[in-house]
Amino acid sequence: MDLSELFKSTLLIGPEIALIITGIIVMVVDPLIKGERKRNLFWIALVGLAVGFILNLERFHNGTSAFSGALSLDGFAAYFNLIFIIGAFLATILSKDYIESMNLRIGEYYALIIFSTSGMMILSSAREFMSLFLGFEIMSVSVYVLSGFNRRSVRSAEAGIKYLVLGGFSSAILLYGIALIYGASGTIFLDEIAANFNASNPLYLAGTALILTGFIFKIGAFPLHQWVPDIYEGAPVTVTGFMSVGVKAAAFAILLRVLFEGFSGIEANWMQALWIVSAFTMTIGNLAAIVQTSIKRMLAYSSIAHAGYALVGVVASYGGKELGLSSVMYYLFAYMVMNLGAFGVLAYLSKDGKECETFDDISGIWRRKPLTAIALGIFMFSLAGIPPTIGFFAKYRVFLSAVKAEFFWLAIIGILNSVISAYYYLRVLVYAYMREESVVFPRFKPTSVVALTILTIGTLLLGILPLNSWDLAIKAAGSFLLTFGAK
Amino acid sequence: MLAWIIFAPLIGALINGLVFASGFWKKVLHGDEHSEKRIVSVVGCGVILISAAISSIMFLKLRALDPAERQIIQELFVWIPSGEFQVSYGFLFDSLSCVMALVVTWVSFLIHIYSIGYMHEDHSYSRYFTYLNIFVFFMLILVLGNSFPLMFVGWEGVGLASYLLIGFWYDDPEKAYAGRKAFIVNRIGDFGFILGIFLIFFVFGSASYGEVFKKALDPGFMSNIPGAVITVIALLLFVGAVGKSAQFPLYVWLPDAMAGPTPVSALIHAATMVTAGVYMVARCNIFYSVSPTAQMIVVGIAAFTAFLAATIALTQNDIKKVLAYSTVSQLGYMFMGVGCGAYIAGMFHLVTHAFFKALLFLGSGSVIHALGGEQDIRKMGGLRKFLPVTSLTFLVGTLAISGIPLLSGFFSKDEILGSLYERGFIIAWIAGLITAVLTAFYMMRLYLLTFEGEARASGEVKQLIHESPSSMTLPLIILAVLSVIGGYMGVPEFMGKVVGIHDSNIFEKFLAASILVEEIKHLEHHALGHWTLVVFSIIAAFLGIGLAFYTYIIKPSIPESVAKNPGISSLYQGSYGKWFVDEIYNVLFVRTFVRLANIAALFDMKIIDGAVNGIAKVIGEAAAILRNAQTGILRFYAALMAIGATAILIYIVLSVK
């Protein structure tokens, strides 16, 4: 690769660069200003994310690749980038009030969110293992730090350490899988791996299995889901919200790309494995969520269950089906909107260094803060998949794609699980609407209200009128299938 | 621009609902009630005026188009994109929906204005206008939507608005019950209606008017479809119309719906919503035209309903009940028209009826308002002196509905009766004529008992009687004028020729573009000519009015002696008791249903709950096991991860042979 191509490629990754520069600016400016003025870092972060968002839109029209094919800047990546950036943007807005009420350090927090987002974006575009691992670690390390960001809280610190150790373990598994594949094929590019793939060579199979394991850890699916509840519960609630939507979506993006582009040679095999993983993930996530007494922990288990629903769509994409692929992508978008909303309400109700996390913390909220209660209700309905919310349409499409691809049993398991999930989501509403209040709720916080309003309207509006959000997912899925010429 | 006809009332409903009815204005902004009422009135009436104005402009635009291409379509977005089933959110403005939109918006506007005066004292003033705007919004979706699902949205939406407004004074359990009754009875009809839509989609592979009707007109396509299927579609849709437009056997909700405020009865339960079924049949004219069976059933039910309701109206003493049964009866006329294939005649009667029935209801509202809530005509009488404007306009409405020549009802009713005769529905024609006599009789009776003769109100009430404010009388006057001249847009050609008008029956010519099938050819040989038929109608009208005069003015002792006459008294009791249809339904359906519900409840408690609780217990235990696995110890998690990774590894390696 000569210098001029390097230069051209660098220009092409504008959105990523915009975020990285913003992150650096935030880090550099942070120690230079003092006290109240540090709050202005918030605006820098928002502007940076907005610039990244706008630059990213270009990719929907002109898909291209950069760095000799190491990064594929296609509509598929652009769609996932949209999820990451919107997620990060709204999480940042929600964090502003939260950081103040929990008295956290401002500068690093925003920088880490932005760095992590840039890692996700590299991850969603990666078509070879070096870039993949680079993105994977930029994202993960930032999130490890964010999990333990509230140093005064033992649980947050514990979550940070746990995530670091277990995440390191999973990265090692992933890296080992990459090494095996490289050893067998002599290349790290996905298309070349696919061309050389030899199912009778155990190195390929073992490598595939280990790489898959690494991704399964990151999406928080069975059988590597144990870390999710502890870390989601311990981390600051806005961080939990951000990583439950961003990290999960990024892991799904790379899972789809590696599986369909690199390992389509043994598609039938990993598809079966994912079938089992998906069925167990949904069931375990939902069953465990029922008995939780903390809403935050319940939402952690619910996030495991939702990873399972999204995996139904991955299984249904078997053979490179556009419907299945687009249903996963749309599901992750929908999950971003509704789950960020749910965690956002918890963040909104946190005050004076104490998080809102148990059922008692929200009981009777309908009487004091009816609008917040309505927003909470809409998010819970959406998570449970009840119309007219975006959650309903997303789930409907995932199950529809499973039925169309003739995975009837998986669809039935998914629907039964949805029924179970209604129990614990609606329990939140029982507390919110029918119980007496037992705590004093915080006062009105204008900044968070903006984000919550956007999320509530989004959840409801896209549930009534899906508009073009669905077409965008179909187009993005189509562009992905084009890049490697799948059937 | 088309979409704004529909969205203007929605905006009004949102403003009135969110700012005023919610209490935001009073509690948060600390606004006073007087200004609240003023703003709500302006917003509520203003948005309807905007709708009406845009409809009128669109009407002019439509007229400027070439008759063959007279339709304006606006597609907003794809609403339900689901595989082959695509529903777009789009609106169709052709001559048929244009007529409906004009009637709905302008009549609504007048009734909104009237409501300002009528509801002035009410504490829930803002809530009232919110509901009224919501109603207009859904009604416009119903008539302007360009697909069956969208029509269904409007169909259900007006049902909701109707329910909310019937039970508007929900403190009174009887009124709340009337709202529920309307809602539940309508569900039966709606069930048939949606089945019809499903069947349409199943047969035609689409649910938008354009595609469905194009295929239905294609002889190649239709030759593959058994005629019975189209008959079933037509009848299922008609089941919906029977519910919404209060035909036998589902008409029972409409008289009870009079529990709502009187302007609501005028708007929803007389002029607009209840005519939705007629519009629907006219819209789907192609299905009915190809199915003589469906036509026969529609005309049969309509004729029976018209006659039955008229016999009940003869003896009722509640001013609004008489008008309610009269509405049911008049809807029967409209269905006779559209049912026999004379879609334009049916639509014509719909329009004229909207004028004079809205007028009569608003007039009755004015009376009720003046008498402080009294609805019993036995306690009225002699009100002409006190309420000059109301009584005069009410008389105009009475004469119009009776079919007195040269008033609007005469032309439209006569066209329906003529069509029935010409198309060979002789029995329905005779039933229509008899009903015309009854109509003239009970309407004149209502007018005479209310406004003429001796004043029977008590002394205190008499002191308070006053003519209504101008916001109420002005709509009455406008509607009275419309009731007089409204018929002249549909003067039949054989009459036009006599007077020397070249371009008579513009209504028919305008609407013809929307009726996709050539109307069935008139019978070759009639025993009776046009003019003979007209004479029959005129005789019927004058006979009814004459009888009423004779009975209530010349010989006022007759009613009492009739009621006591042993031969007729059972008939009188039957009519007075509304033929006991409600009681029969109560025994046949309501009680049986309650009994079944009790059995189901028992089954539910013993068997379903048992199973559910059992499953819940199993799930709970499984969950407890999972929770115990979540120890929180790092090494334990790492070990579990290692096991998981190994399992995936083994599974994938072994699964490849």
Side-chain angles (χ1 to χ4, degrees), chain B residues 37-264:
Chain B
K37 282 187 176 168
R38 270 232 300 264
I39 301 172
V40 166
S41 319
V42 170
V43 171
C45 301
V47 290
I48 306 297
L49 183 62
I50 293 171
S51 267
I54 301 177
S55 308
S56 309
I57 296 169
M58 297 294 288
F59 164 66
L60 295 178
K61 269 193 183 174
L62 196 69
R63 282 226 337 194
L65 292 175
D66 183 49
E69 295 159 9
R70 260 192 199 159
Q71 53 178 20
I72 298 168
I73 294 174
Q74 184 178 9
E75 295 230 338
L76 293 183
F77 46 78
V78 177
W79 177 35
I80 307 175
S82 166
E84 306 126 46
F85 186 65
Q86 285 257 351
V87 179
S88 61
Y89 214 94
F91 300 112
L92 166 71
F93 198 80
D94 64 353
S95 52
L96 186 59
S97 43
C98 169
V99 167
M100 286 302 286
L102 286 174
V103 170
V104 169
T105 51
W106 283 111
V107 173
S108 296
F109 177 65
L110 292 176
I111 292 174
H112 273 69
I113 296 286
Y114 178 93
S115 299
I116 296 176
Y118 191 83
M119 297 299 286
H120 199 76
E121 310 280 300
D122 204 278
H123 293 297
S124 303
Y125 191 77
S126 322
R127 186 163 60 92
Y128 173 82
F129 272 93
T130 308
Y131 290 166
L132 221 51
N133 282 350
I134 288 179
F135 166 75
V136 178
F137 167 67
F138 279 117
M139 189 68 206
L140 288 168
I141 287 193
L142 195 164
V143 298
L144 292 175
N146 73 343
S147 64
F148 286 101
L150 214 51
M151 185 197 260
F152 189 69
V153 169
W155 194 271
E156 292 298 304
V158 290
L160 169 73
S162 154
Y163 162 75
L164 290 172
L165 283 162
I166 295 170
F168 182 73
W169 290 307
Y170 53 78
D171 307 348
D172 181 347
E174 208 170 296
K175 290 178 173 165
Y177 173 79
R180 284 208 301 280
K181 180 170 175 184
F183 204 73
I184 291 166
V185 173
N186 266 299
R187 287 283 79 60
I188 302 170
D190 295 351
F191 183 63
F193 188 60
I194 199 165
L195 284 181
I197 295 178
F198 287 151
L199 193 56
I200 288 173
F201 178 70
F202 182 73
V203 173
F204 294 96
S206 169
S208 81
Y209 298 154
E211 284 176 52
V212 171
F213 295 145
K214 204 171 94 193
K215 281 187 183 165
L217 280 172
D218 176 9
F221 182 83
M222 290 300 278
S223 61
N224 296 326
I225 293 171
V229 172
I230 303 298
T231 303
V232 172
I233 289 180
L235 289 178
L236 283 173
L237 294 177
F238 184 61
V239 170
V242 165
K244 183 99 342 188
S245 299
Q247 296 295 290
F248 181 83
L250 297 181
Y251 69 93
V252 289
W253 65 271
L254 188 62
D256 287 17
M258 297 302 126
T262 306
V264 168

Side-chain angles (χ1 to χ4, degrees), chain A residues 162 226 230 269 287 291 396, chain B residues 82 619 627 630 632 637 655:
Chain A
K162 255 190 197 164
Q226 291 87 358
D230 285 16
N269 304 93
L287 286 185
V291 287
Y396 162 72
Chain B
S82 166
I619 289 177
R627 179 153 66 172
Q630 206 70 37
Y637 287 177
S655 69

Side-chain angles (χ1 to χ4, degrees), chain A residues 271-291:
Chain A
M271 188 275 299
Q272 278 172 10
L274 283 182
W275 194 106
I276 299 168
V277 167
S278 162
F280 272 100
T281 308
M282 288 187 281
T283 313
I284 287 179
N286 278 319
L287 286 185
I290 290 178
V291 287

Side-chain angles (χ1 to χ4, degrees), chain A residues 286-299:
Chain A
N286 278 319
L287 286 185
I290 290 178
V291 287
Q292 300 309 319
T293 49
S294 146
I295 297 180
K296 208 175 166 194
R297 200 168 169 87
M298 181 276 276
L299 283 174

Side-chain angles (χ1 to χ4, degrees), chain A residues 340-474:
Chain A
L340 208 51
F343 279 110
V345 172
L346 296 190
Y348 182 68
L349 294 177
S350 302
K351 65 164 202 172
D352 304 336
K354 192 189 164 303
E355 279 195 349
C356 165
E357 48 183 328
T358 65
F359 281 98
D360 286 337
D361 290 343
I362 58 145
S363 63
I365 186 172
W366 167 243
R367 278 164 232 261
R368 289 280 159 236
K369 292 184 157 290
L371 290 177
T372 317
I374 288 172
L376 183 67
I378 288 171
F379 296 134
M380 288 300 143
F381 272 117
S382 185
L383 285 168
I386 295 168
T389 56
I390 191 171
F392 164 74
F393 265 105
K395 221 177 235 176
Y396 162 72
R397 275 162 180 150
V398 164
F399 294 147
L400 179 74
S401 69
V403 170
K404 283 267 167 76
E406 306 201 337
F407 291 101
F408 298 115
W409 281 108
L410 195 56
I412 290 171
I413 295 173
I415 289 164
L416 287 179
N417 265 297
S418 266
V419 175
I420 298 179
S421 75
Y423 171 78
Y424 57 83
Y425 290 126
L426 296 184
R427 198 152 76 109
V428 174
L429 300 187
V430 170
Y431 278 86
Y433 286 81
M434 299 178 190
R435 299 283 164 94
E436 295 294 325
E437 70 233 54
S438 56
V439 294
V440 180
F441 297 114
R443 58 178 179 77
F444 181 74
K445 300 173 183 171
T447 324
S448 306
V449 165
V450 172
L452 285 178
T453 310
I454 295 172
L455 289 166
T456 313
I457 292 175
T459 306
L460 210 53
L461 187 70
L462 294 178
I464 299 168
L465 315 165
L467 302 178
N468 291 326
S469 56
W470 172 237
D471 290 343
L472 204 59
I474 292 181

Side-chain angles (χ1 to χ4, degrees), chain A residues 158 162 165-166 169-170 173 199 205-206 209-210 212-213 216-217 223-224 226-227 229-230 266 269-270 272-273 276 284 287-288 290-291 297 301 396-397 420 464-467, chain B residues 77-84 89 619-620 622-624 626-627 629-634 637-645 647-657:
Chain A
E158 185 190 328
K162 255 190 197 164
V165 172
L166 296 174
F169 188 34
S170 81
I173 296 174
L205 301 181
L210 292 176
L212 193 60
T213 307
I216 286 177
F217 174 86
L224 295 101
Q226 291 87 358
W227 61 276
D230 285 16
I266 51 163
N269 304 93
W270 55 250
Q272 278 172 10
I276 299 168
I284 287 179
L287 286 185
I290 290 178
V291 287
R297 200 168 169 87
Y301 279 106
Y396 162 72
R397 275 162 180 150
I420 298 179
I464 299 168
L465 315 165
L467 302 178
Chain B
F77 46 78
V78 177
W79 177 35
I80 307 175
S82 166
E84 306 126 46
Y89 214 94
I619 289 177
L626 286 174
R627 179 153 66 172
Q630 206 70 37
T631 54
I633 299 168
L634 188 55
Y637 287 177
L640 282 179
M641 274 175 65
I643 294 171
I648 293 174
L649 184 69
I650 292 174
Y651 182 88
I652 288 204
V653 171
L654 288 188
S655 69
V656 179
K657 280 163 204 106

